[in-house]
Amino acid sequence: MSSNTRFLFFIFSLLLTLNSVFHIVSQTTPSDSDASYILACGASTDAEDTDGRTWKPDSQLLSNSGNSMILSAHVQDPSLPSTIPYMTARIFTSTSTYKILVAKGQRFWLRLHFYSTSYGTLDPSKSYLDVIANGFTLLHNFSASITAQALTQVSIMKEFSLVPAQSGDLDITFKPTLEQKDAYAFVNGIEVIPMPDIFKPAPLVGYNDQFVEVESSSFQTIARLNVGGQFILPTDDSGLTRTWYDDSPYIFSAAFGVTYKADKSIKIQYPSNVSKEIAPLDVYNTARSMGPNANININYNLTWVFQIDAKFTYLVRFHFCELDLEKVNQRVFNIFVNNQTAKENADVIEWAESQGVPVYKDYAVYASDEDLWVALHPSVSTKPQYYDAILNGLEIFKMNDTRGNLAAPNPVQSPMPIQADDAPKKFRPSRSERAAHVIGGISGGVVGCAVVAGFFICFTKEKRKGDGNPSSRGNWLPLYGRSHTSTSNSTTSGKSIASSQLSSVAAGLCRHFSLSEIKHGTKNFSESQVIGVGGFGKVYEGLIDGKTKVAIKRSNPSSEQGLDEFLTEIEMLSRLRHKHLVSLIGFCEEDGEMILVYDYMANGTLREHLYRSNKPALSWQQRLAICIGAARGLHYLHTGARYTIIHRDVKTTNILLDEKWVAKVSDFGLSKIGSNLHQTHVSTMVKGSFGYLDPEYFRRQQLTEKSDVYSFGVVLFEVLCARPALNPLLPMEQVSLVDWALHCQRKGILEDIIDPHLKGKINPLSLRKFTETAEKCVADQGLDRPTMGDVLWNLEFSLQLEKTPEQPKMVSYNNADDTYATYTAMSGTDEDSFVSLEK
Ligand SMILES: *[C@@H]1O[C@H](CO)[C@@H](O)[C@H](O)[C@H]1NC(C)=O
Ligand SMILES: *[C@@H]1O[C@H](CO)[C@@H](O)[C@H](O)[C@H]1NC(C)=O
Ligand SMILES: *[C@@H]1O[C@H](CO)[C@@H](O)[C@H](O)[C@H]1NC(C)=O
């Protein structure tokens, strides 16, 4: 079963499995001599997760298990990393305590796992819980449901480092939050992992010679990044089963620096005062530096920004290992934390004494706001050989306050993560139809579930109640660096929020419009000028300078969605110019408005020429030419610019057509830059549009350009079959276009489902080449999918077969690069029409 089918299967099987499943509890516990405890709460037997770690039942460690019950989740969200420990939960309706024996004087990690979904008849939004461990308040009024939605994550993990109790006992108490009526508490998994004492008193930034005391403090992990490197699984960590994430989602602005990996000749050697457990080798053997150009480096800070809880002290740990240079005073830099100097003239070689030797430094900072900024800048005062900086790893830990508290309010709702499909209203299922497909109770649940069938989300968008306390997202999966600046802030503080966050390059490359110019050009945002409505807001047709027709995209001022997407789009599009990418003319941000001005695309979106409109059907040759254009635009994004750019939201409504039917890829709001040097993927939250989402990206949350190839394959099928990628009103096996088309393809009856307008009018060879290409694009594994260059070549070939079936002019090559070279050579001057402004 493909994962799409599996996904739908779970949703529909929901209808059948309303009854909660109770497990008989059999009693097995870890023996007391076990150093660590990995507990699947509510499980009846030992079970392995997908990483091969064994989880044991929790019941014997619970001192008063009568106060709790065991329930299973109804729905297995496809982005759950594993069924263990998430599919069963222990539910607490009153105070219950786990009593766990730990070695005396031993510091340990405590990890709590939550999967917010419906258990039995319980409403996930009704769960609010407190967790207290050895006298430290770890969580208070914690809602897994609110947190999961705000973070767009299905499961939540909270990691703490606790100080040993003198007795050697660890008491973990769960209770429903008192202030919340009818609340219940729950937990899916608990890990207790002994750890070496890795915390030492750290200098408090901004206070001369003051150190924070760490010995009696507990910590919560806020971020753990393998800077310039890849995601590291718990099982690949050096024994402490930590997860390390890619740092790029946290980088502020478009200045990403460059990443690199240790040369094979460099052998990383831990010195005697750095334990291997501090961080695994993979953290030290990749790094990010500012780049080769001293003039550029001297003018910017390599900056990461984190969303944190205000009014706590944070310990920031920098991991360094020089991989390139060998001498003192070659690369010297300053380290800033929250705009204050944490360290002047940092020189990794001076600290480590040699290349390939890890060293780490801790700095503590008291944060009064909800951001934590970390920045590196070349130091000039020591006249180093290079103006550059380097970082290999970064960890951020929150320290308990003076009352032993680590808890903070729930995050505020963030904008909907997965863009609504912009289907016209009349085609959306009515509320009752929707209820027939998705059980109502789910809507309060996990985002991944609530949006299953694409369209539904359009009207489940009403704000869910938060606790009214704006606060950070006390979690540490990648979040976008700038995502904390909500639109509501920008409206109150007036203009310039966006431009102050734009890089000077972007701001310099595109035009800044005044609001009055825009109002004038759109007849004061007259409804008669509206040419489209999307997740972002409305798109108007307008005139600028009294003569030039433009498309004006105005973000809905009341929606919280947008500032990030707005900035990303300006950053991306102002640097990219290509015949097959929509051109950004400029932007306007006044009075809290976020407005983008584009070239006008006379023929609208590709989708409106495929189905659900009364426009004349496109011929096969026209369709091929459009697909080829869009493929060229994407190919350019993947390979033509300085960085690999992953579009992330390829779909037929993001392929626009100008007056000459030239296809242009649009909507870069979700795009991500991956460095093309050593990084092969970007690990990130799943965003995109349902029906087009790469199943592999969904499973592993790691983005590569092959995710765009997958989405493009869906587009190809859509072009061929003239139906939406997902149509929940169809019989179950037909809901997903990809699944249905692959099924028909295998049965040899694909011809039956193609657009009736095309039947009998396509050269069979051309059709075969096209469908083969589409099929390869939607391969389950990214590795099995072709590159955009291959796709392009195959589509060109399909067009040749259609035009001159007797003598196709193109020769097939096996090697992807060769094919592309041939193809560009043959397609002549067309590619000359683009210039990349970023070099
Ligand atoms: C880098 O950050 C420091 C500390 O916030 C700031 O003082 C400095 O102006 C920044 N430099 C640049 C070039 O942005
Ligand atoms: C380890 O020793 C080196 C050299 O004496 C020193 O510079 C460094 O600060 C020490 N500590 C750590 C944690 O690297
Ligand atoms: C954390 O809590 C402990 C126990 O209440 C206290 O001794 C310690 O000072 C606290 N840490 C900080 C940084 O306030």
Side-chain angles (χ1 to χ4, degrees):
M1 235 186 329
S2 83
S3 70
N4 271 344
T5 335
R6 218 159 37 232
F7 189 30
L8 289 161
F9 172 73
F10 282 121
I11 295 319
F12 289 97
S13 64
L14 234 179
L15 289 163
L16 311 171
T17 52
L18 254 181
N19 298 329
S20 57
V21 189
F22 286 82
H23 282 261
I24 310 287
V25 183
S26 87
Q27 306 280 323
T28 47
T29 24
S31 73
D32 291 338
S33 63
D34 262 6
S36 31
Y37 296 80
I38 306 178
L39 306 175
C41 303
S44 48
T45 54
D46 289 10
E48 255 187 31
D49 67 14
T50 47
D51 294 336
R53 303 174 73 207
T54 302
W55 295 70
K56 294 179 179 283
D58 64 327
S59 47
Q60 284 213 336
L61 297 167
L62 202 56
S63 63
N64 40 1
S65 57
N67 293 350
S68 67
M69 58 185 172
I70 295 167
L71 292 176
S72 289
H74 293 309
V75 184
Q76 181 186 348
D77 192 284
S79 56
L80 271 181
S82 166
T83 55
I84 314 291
Y86 299 106
M87 291 303 286
T88 55
R90 189 170 290 275
I91 313 283
F92 308 96
T93 47
S94 60
T95 306
S96 302
T97 300
Y98 285 93
K99 282 199 177 296
I100 295 175
L101 205 63
V102 286
K104 276 202 181 102
Q106 170 88 61
R107 194 177 260 280
F108 51 88
W109 296 118
L110 171 63
R111 300 195 186 109
L112 304 175
H113 297 262
F114 302 95
Y115 169 36
S116 173
T117 186
S118 311
Y119 298 99
T121 54
L122 294 170
D123 177 352
S125 67
K126 282 266 162 67
S127 170
Y128 286 91
L129 59 100
D130 295 3
V131 179
I132 294 146
N134 278 4
F136 290 96
T137 304
L138 306 184
L139 296 172
H140 171 61
N141 197 34
F142 170 70
S143 164
S145 158
I146 293 172
T147 309
Q149 283 172 31
L151 298 177
T152 72
Q153 279 168 211
V154 161
S155 57
I156 294 155
M157 193 262 276
K158 299 268 182 190
E159 183 184 87
F160 304 93
S161 170
L162 293 190
V163 288
Q166 281 318 312
S167 63
D169 266 347
L170 164 61
D171 288 355
I172 315 171
T173 300
F174 285 82
K175 60 180 180 197
T177 302
L178 209 61
E179 297 87 334
Q180 300 280 356
K181 204 167 157 278
D182 300 329
Y184 65 94
F186 79 100
V187 63
N188 302 88
I190 300 175
E191 294 175 67
V192 178
I193 314 281
M195 64 187 275
D197 200 357
I198 60 169
F199 298 108
K200 301 266 155 14
L204 190 59
V205 173
Y207 297 84
N208 260 345
D209 297 327
Q210 264 203 49
F211 284 76
V212 287
E213 188 45 52
V214 294
E215 206 170 298
S216 55
S217 298
S218 291
F219 297 86
Q220 182 184 350
T221 310
I222 301 299
R224 178 173 290 131
L225 307 179
N226 179 13
V227 176
Q230 300 193 359
F231 177 75
I232 300 175
L233 277 171
T235 41
D236 294 334
D237 188 33
S238 53
L240 297 181
T241 55
R242 295 161 296 192
T243 309
W244 299 77
Y245 291 90
D246 164 19
D247 67 315
S248 53
Y250 295 92
I251 292 181
F252 178 74
S253 90
F256 273 61
V258 295
T259 62
Y260 52 97
K261 203 174 158 76
D263 207 74
K264 283 209 185 63
S265 63
I266 297 179
K267 195 166 173 329
I268 291 178
Q269 304 266 6
Y270 289 82
S272 58
N273 65 351
V274 178
S275 142
K276 282 198 168 69
E277 283 164 316
I278 291 294
L281 210 98
D282 281 344
V283 168
Y284 291 115
N285 72 13
T286 56
R288 187 180 295 280
S289 73
M290 299 186 76
N293 188 326
N295 292 331
I296 293 177
N297 296 353
I298 209 72
N299 285 313
Y300 89 99
N301 282 344
L302 186 53
T303 307
W304 295 259
V305 56
F306 301 87
Q307 190 164 39
I308 53 162
D309 299 312
K311 303 195 172 64
F312 283 94
T313 301
Y314 289 83
L315 187 77
V316 185
R317 171 164 296 174
F318 295 81
H319 296 270
F320 300 105
C321 183
E322 183 56 73
L323 303 173
D324 190 18
L325 306 175
E326 290 176 332
K327 295 202 206 77
V328 169
N329 209 34
Q330 286 189 303
R331 171 162 27 207
V332 184
F333 53 95
N334 296 334
I335 303 174
F336 303 106
V337 178
N338 270 359
N339 289 340
Q340 293 174 304
T341 307
K343 174 75 188 149
E344 259 183 327
N345 306 332
D347 185 333
V348 176
I349 292 288
E350 188 186 316
W351 278 330
E353 291 167 359
S354 164
Q355 192 186 56
V357 175
V359 38
Y360 66 92
K361 295 286 165 191
D362 291 343
Y363 301 100
V365 63
Y366 177 78
S368 41
D369 291 326
E370 290 172 353
D371 309 321
L372 197 146
W373 297 76
V374 170
L376 305 180
H377 187 73
S379 156
V380 291
S381 62
T382 65
K383 301 200 169 48
Q385 187 173 355
Y386 303 105
Y387 286 170
D388 200 0
I390 183 174
L391 187 61
N392 304 62
L394 188 66
E395 290 177 281
I396 298 179
F397 302 100
K398 176 165 76 173
M399 299 179 70
N400 66 264
D401 66 16
T402 48
R403 292 162 301 141
N405 176 57
L406 274 166
N410 287 311
V412 262
Q413 284 298 297
S414 73
M416 258 325 173
I418 297 170
Q419 290 201 330
D421 191 301
D422 12 12
K425 270 208 179 66
K426 59 184 165 171
F427 295 111
R428 289 176 197 157
S430 71
R431 265 178 194 278
S432 57
E433 279 169 316
R434 177 172 57 115
H437 289 276
V438 180
I439 300 292
I442 242 189
S443 64
V446 178
V447 173
C449 297
V451 295
V452 211
F455 301 158
F456 298 153
I457 191 160
C458 304
F459 42 74
T460 49
K461 246 188 120 173
E462 80 246 36
K463 278 239 185 77
R464 295 181 181 91
K465 289 190 288 288
D467 58 4
N469 259 322
S471 107
S472 82
R473 306 153 170 186
N475 203 289
W476 48 289
L477 279 172
L479 294 171
Y480 290 88
R482 296 174 298 219
S483 60
H484 42 78
T485 318
S486 73
T487 317
S488 48
N489 288 344
S490 58
T491 21
T492 47
S493 54
K495 52 197 254 176
S496 281
I497 293 290
S499 53
S500 65
Q501 292 191 20
L502 272 184
S503 68
S504 52
V505 186
L509 286 173
C510 60
R511 181 166 159 190
H512 203 143
F513 288 93
S514 71
L515 188 56
S516 69
E517 268 174 291
I518 302 284
K519 280 189 174 160
H520 185 72
T522 55
K523 303 184 182 146
N524 205 7
F525 298 114
S526 157
E527 284 300 309
S528 67
Q529 301 291 108
V530 174
I531 50 175
V533 184
F536 180 98
K538 287 182 178 166
V539 183
Y540 300 82
E541 178 186 324
L543 271 189
I544 52 166
D545 307 331
K547 55 180 194 298
T548 313
K549 227 179 189 184
V550 291
I552 293 178
K553 192 156 119 182
R554 180 196 197 192
S555 104
N556 179 357
S558 66
S559 100
E560 275 184 29
Q561 186 172 356
L563 184 62
D564 288 339
E565 276 88 350
F566 180 72
L567 292 168
T568 309
E569 180 123 0
I570 298 175
E571 290 283 351
M572 294 275 178
L573 275 181
S574 61
R575 284 170 162 74
L576 300 168
R577 292 281 186 270
H578 186 273
K579 182 178 173 189
H580 295 287
L581 300 182
V582 162
S583 301
L584 180 71
I585 297 173
F587 65 96
C588 162
E589 45 114 20
E590 225 177 282
D591 274 356
E593 294 271 4
M594 290 183 288
I595 294 166
L596 295 168
V597 180
Y598 303 88
D599 273 350
Y600 182 70
M601 293 290 125
N603 279 311
T605 68
L606 171 57
R607 174 170 308 173
E608 65 198 75
H609 298 279
L610 293 175
Y611 49 91
R612 287 174 179 171
S613 80
N614 42 20
K615 304 219 160 108
L618 298 170
S619 73
W620 182 236
Q621 285 204 17
Q622 274 178 309
R623 291 184 206 204
L624 278 172
I626 290 167
C627 292
I628 287 168
R632 232 175 247 176
L634 289 172
H635 178 65
Y636 169 71
L637 285 182
H638 291 176
T639 61
R642 179 167 148 201
Y643 298 103
T644 298
I645 297 170
I646 304 168
H647 185 285
R648 295 220 291 175
D649 203 15
V650 176
K651 54 182 176 179
T652 44
T653 45
N654 283 341
I655 297 173
L656 304 183
L657 302 166
D658 74 1
E659 72 285 358
K660 295 186 185 125
W661 298 94
V662 174
K664 311 225 177 201
V665 178
S666 78
D667 217 332
F668 290 73
L670 297 181
S671 303
K672 287 216 57 81
I673 295 180
S675 156
N676 54 5
L677 291 175
H678 298 291
Q679 212 173 304
T680 55
H681 73 266
V682 180
S683 152
T684 165
M685 288 186 289
V686 174
K687 290 196 181 191
S689 298
F690 263 97
Y692 295 90
L693 266 187
D694 169 9
E696 191 175 50
Y697 169 39
F698 211 66
R699 281 193 302 271
R700 301 178 46 208
Q701 314 216 343
Q702 291 179 1
L703 192 63
T704 71
E705 59 266 38
K706 295 295 182 69
S707 305
D708 283 350
V709 174
Y710 181 92
S711 308
F712 192 71
V714 180
V715 166
L716 295 180
F717 278 122
E718 218 177 320
V719 165
L720 182 66
C721 303
R723 55 150 283 187
L726 273 183
N727 183 349
L729 303 179
L730 288 173
M732 187 174 138
E733 69 279 8
Q734 301 183 22
V735 169
S736 152
L737 169 60
V738 167
D739 285 351
W740 181 232
L742 292 178
H743 170 85
C744 294
Q745 171 95 319
R746 272 192 294 272
K747 297 220 143 164
I749 54 165
L750 188 63
E751 293 242 13
D752 295 356
I753 66 163
I754 71 174
D755 186 352
H757 292 108
L758 297 174
K759 277 196 183 140
K761 295 183 190 155
I762 312 182
N763 175 303
L765 291 173
S766 169
L767 178 62
R768 198 203 301 161
K769 189 88 213 152
F770 184 90
T771 53
E772 274 173 16
T773 309
E775 190 182 356
K776 283 192 196 126
C777 288
V778 297
D780 202 46
Q781 307 275 331
L783 277 175
D784 300 333
R785 296 175 206 148
T787 63
M788 264 339 277
D790 289 339
V791 174
L792 188 46
W793 191 87
N794 281 294
L795 292 175
E796 284 273 8
F797 196 68
S798 171
L799 180 61
Q800 289 293 336
L801 288 167
E802 178 68 21
K803 278 184 178 160
T804 48
E806 277 70 48
Q807 31 175 285
K809 291 197 191 67
M810 303 177 79
V811 199
S812 179
Y813 287 83
N814 296 326
N815 179 301
D817 293 339
D818 284 354
T819 20
Y820 182 62
T822 319
Y823 142 75
T824 33
M826 292 189 66
S827 48
T829 56
D830 181 79
E831 295 291 307
D832 299 342
S833 55
F834 74 74
V835 278
S836 164
L837 293 174
E838 194 192 29
K839 271 291 167 245

